[in-house]
């Protein structure tokens, strides 16, 4: 396994694979790797000759400087984890200067409405930062396939839009959410939770499971109201948003259409740490 910290050395290594350059898989991450990330890497290894795992805490997608400075950085440990997996991996761990030689500034994208609810509403500019760094990674790596988790479903949706809009010859592959034993969606941010809160955070997944049950018989407005009340009845978790949206458009559900697929999305604060999750409802 190789570790490249700049584009020049990544290019050098990729030259060795020139004849199979068509078979490169890319897994973009911000590091502090956990089983969720590893599931993406394993899928990429199964479907490509070589897999580039990028590890880069992208400053342009953070709208809270505290969140950026406290984001876990565990490169040594990440490299050891990947090294155990397979030799056909190149870790690309660039500096901010390498990724943004002219300064860490986002490009402006217009994702036509899909970005104005949920994550983009509560983290304005977030997806401009995500799209900017992902497009830059695509240019550097030139992958055939790129892997993203459904944990960040709105991000996956926006990346698919980006690829379509820019007519990039890259297949975007969504991967299912990997959860801790208690159902909490795995996240690098979970490491910052106290043991007690991390254990009790099964509350979030249990709410999603109940939403799914209720969705069979109840209106979305009533379900959202019920969720808000569940959060009022406890102190540990603070609800930021709950949304039920059409999976194909990420627009809020109006009248339930049996022909359509829906998904519920939730964002919660615990001990000042922001956790997101989502579930398919039908
Ligand atoms: P991050 O390092 O948080 O930016 O995540 C890198 C990639 O891993 C993104 O495509 C995420 O959606 C994906 N990912 C993060 N957590 C999980 C999880 N629990 N299950 C599946 N994919 C995940």
């Amino acid at each position: 396994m190789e570790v490249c910290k700049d584009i020049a050395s990544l290019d050098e290594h990729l030259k060795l694979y020139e004849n199979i350059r068509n078979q490169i898989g890319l897994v973009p991450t911000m590091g502090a790797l956990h089983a969720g990330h590893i599931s993406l890497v394993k899928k990429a290894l199964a479907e490509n000759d070589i897999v580039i795992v990028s590890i880069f805490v992208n400053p342009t997608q953070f709208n809270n400087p505290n969140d950026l400075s406290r984001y876990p950085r565990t490169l040594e440990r990440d490299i050891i984890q990947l090294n155990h997996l397979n030799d056909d991996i190149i870790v690309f761990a660039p500096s901010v200067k390498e990724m943004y030689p002219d300064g860490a500034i986002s490009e402006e994208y217009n994702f036509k409405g899909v970005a104005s609810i949920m994550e983009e509403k509560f983290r304005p500019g977030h997806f401009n930062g995500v799209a900017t760094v992902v497009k830059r990674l695509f240019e550097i790596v030139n992958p055939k396939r790129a892997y993203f988790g459904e944990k960040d479903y709105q991000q996956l949706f926006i990346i698919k839009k980006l690829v379509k809009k820019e007519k990039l010859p890259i297949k975007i592959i969504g991967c299912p959410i990997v959860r801790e034993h208690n159902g909490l969606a795995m996240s690098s941010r979970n490491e910052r939770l106290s043991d007690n809160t991390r254990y009790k955070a099964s509350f979030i997944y249990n709410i999603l499971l109940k939403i799914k049950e209720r969705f069979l018989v109840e209106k979305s407005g009533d379900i959202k109201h019920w969720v808000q009340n569940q959060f009022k009845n406890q102190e540990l978790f603070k609800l930021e948003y709950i949304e039920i949206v059409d999976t194909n458009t990420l627009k809020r559900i109006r009248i339930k259409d049996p022909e359509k697929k829906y998904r519920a999305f939730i964002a919660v604060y615990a001990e000042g740490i922001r956790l997101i999750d989502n579930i398919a409802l039908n």
Side-chain angles (χ1 to χ4, degrees):
M1 195 187 79
E2 298 294 340
V3 180
C4 300
K5 297 211 167 169
D6 52 50
I7 299 166
S9 65
L10 179 67
D11 276 346
E12 271 304 299
H13 283 292
L14 286 177
K15 269 195 199 135
L16 303 172
Y17 299 91
E18 201 76 78
N19 51 343
I20 52 166
R21 196 156 178 154
N22 223 12
Q23 296 299 334
I24 296 174
L26 170 68
V27 181
T29 82
M30 297 205 296
L33 300 183
H34 50 66
H37 297 114
I38 299 299
S39 72
L40 270 57
V41 178
K42 283 186 173 162
K43 188 161 171 58
L45 282 166
E47 296 176 355
N48 301 274
D49 293 319
I50 180 112
V51 172
I52 316 283
V53 180
S54 64
I55 297 183
F56 178 64
V57 181
N58 173 34
T60 64
Q61 71 188 69
F62 285 80
N63 49 347
N64 175 344
N66 266 344
D67 191 24
L68 172 60
S69 65
R70 284 201 245 135
Y71 199 85
R73 290 159 170 89
T74 58
L75 185 59
E76 301 278 294
R77 208 177 75 194
D78 294 347
I79 289 171
I80 292 169
Q81 274 199 72
L82 293 170
N83 208 9
H84 280 137
L85 274 185
N86 196 302
D87 266 356
D88 300 327
I89 295 176
I90 299 177
V91 176
F92 178 50
S95 64
V96 173
K97 187 96 190 117
E98 188 73 10
M99 289 299 280
Y100 295 106
D102 301 324
I105 298 165
S106 296
E107 280 172 46
E108 289 286 322
Y109 289 90
N110 177 6
F111 293 110
K112 290 205 181 112
V114 284
S116 62
I117 61 167
M118 305 191 294
E119 290 306 283
E120 185 63 17
K121 178 168 173 196
F122 290 92
R123 301 181 74 187
H126 170 65
F127 287 123
N128 278 335
V130 169
T132 302
V133 78
V134 169
K135 192 169 163 227
R136 177 118 175 87
L137 285 167
F138 285 171
E139 283 160 4
I140 295 168
V141 173
N142 192 14
K144 171 127 181 198
R145 303 179 190 86
Y147 297 79
F148 293 86
E150 289 185 347
K151 154 94 180 354
D152 301 281
Y153 200 91
Q154 197 176 8
Q155 166 175 287
L156 168 65
F157 188 92
I158 275 169
I159 299 298
K160 283 183 178 164
K161 286 228 163 232
L162 173 76
V163 164
K164 205 166 168 194
K165 194 166 144 191
E166 309 268 331
K167 300 192 174 70
L168 303 174
I170 302 170
K171 188 160 185 222
I172 302 302
I173 293 155
C175 306
I177 301 173
V178 177
R179 299 181 176 282
E180 299 193 1
H181 288 305
N182 65 352
L184 173 65
M186 286 202 173
S187 162
S188 305
R189 289 186 175 86
N190 295 355
E191 288 184 23
R192 290 172 49 208
L193 296 171
S194 67
D195 288 347
N196 179 45
T197 302
R198 192 164 175 168
Y199 174 72
K200 289 189 175 154
S202 55
F203 175 74
I204 301 167
Y205 184 50
N206 288 335
I207 292 266
L208 288 178
L209 291 175
K210 297 226 178 73
I211 293 174
K212 186 170 179 159
E213 251 175 64
R214 284 174 177 256
F215 190 70
L216 294 170
V217 288
E218 275 180 44
K219 287 192 185 141
S220 68
D222 294 340
I223 298 175
K224 281 165 83 168
H225 201 238
W226 175 81
V227 173
Q228 280 149 3
N229 278 331
Q230 299 308 299
F231 277 86
K232 276 185 200 145
N233 292 335
Q234 55 75 53
E235 302 225 307
L236 203 47
F237 302 102
K238 193 170 159 293
L239 180 66
E240 186 175 62
Y241 66 74
I242 172 71
E243 293 288 359
I244 297 178
V245 305
D246 181 327
T247 306
N248 286 321
T249 60
L250 293 197
K251 299 243 186 316
R252 264 186 210 118
I253 181 171
R254 291 189 189 281
I255 296 158
K256 205 192 290 178
D257 179 342
E259 302 292 308
K260 289 187 175 165
K261 297 271 179 226
Y262 298 98
R263 221 167 165 105
F265 291 78
I266 195 164
V268 172
Y269 274 93
E271 297 174 334
I273 294 152
R274 194 165 179 279
L275 305 169
I276 59 169
D277 201 349
N278 66 86
I279 195 168
L281 297 178
N282 59 342

